[in-house]
Amino acid sequence: MNAYNQPGSTSGRPVPGGDGTDLETLIRLADGLVAALHAEYPVLLEHGEIIQAELALAADDGFPPNRGRIRHQLDDLCIGAAAGTGTLEYTRRLTTALNL
């Protein structure tokens, strides 16, 4: 068993989000995060782009996203984003969806 195992769906395929959130929804959340970062914290934009890249890679190769790498980026965003911002809201939603 490796660190990337996810709960399976009824079809036996891995579910990208730890709570059953589909990959398309995760990608939309990451897109919203990047838009919020662009408007609120351009200096932190790279973190959002790394999350987008990890989710795109998961979509391309069919494997679950690298939750460790995504978690590291989300942790950094939690430190840098102020309460009440869109950035923090998208960060919270992605953290919840991925069960991090």
Side-chain angles (χ1 to χ4, degrees):
M1 184 167 169
N2 65 39
Y4 301 109
N5 287 343
Q6 301 287 322
S9 68
T10 55
S11 67
R13 297 190 53 146
V15 177
D19 69 347
T21 304
D22 62 281
L23 188 57
E24 291 174 12
T25 301
L26 293 173
I27 291 170
R28 281 194 303 272
L29 287 171
D31 291 345
L33 173 63
V34 167
L37 284 166
H38 184 69
E40 297 169 345
Y41 299 103
V43 71
L44 299 175
L45 187 58
E46 182 179 2
H47 296 289
E49 291 171 344
I50 290 170
I51 294 168
Q52 276 184 320
E54 288 299 326
L55 293 173
L57 180 62
D60 289 344
D61 67 16
F63 290 104
N66 183 330
R67 294 176 68 225
R69 187 154 191 217
I70 292 172
R71 181 182 183 137
H72 177 73
Q73 304 309 314
L74 292 171
D75 286 347
D76 287 350
L77 289 172
C78 284
I79 293 168
T85 61
T87 297
L88 196 58
E89 176 61 21
Y90 279 109
T91 300
R92 183 194 62 76
R93 290 174 66 188
L94 278 164
T95 301
T96 301
L98 289 163
N99 257 357
L100 299 174

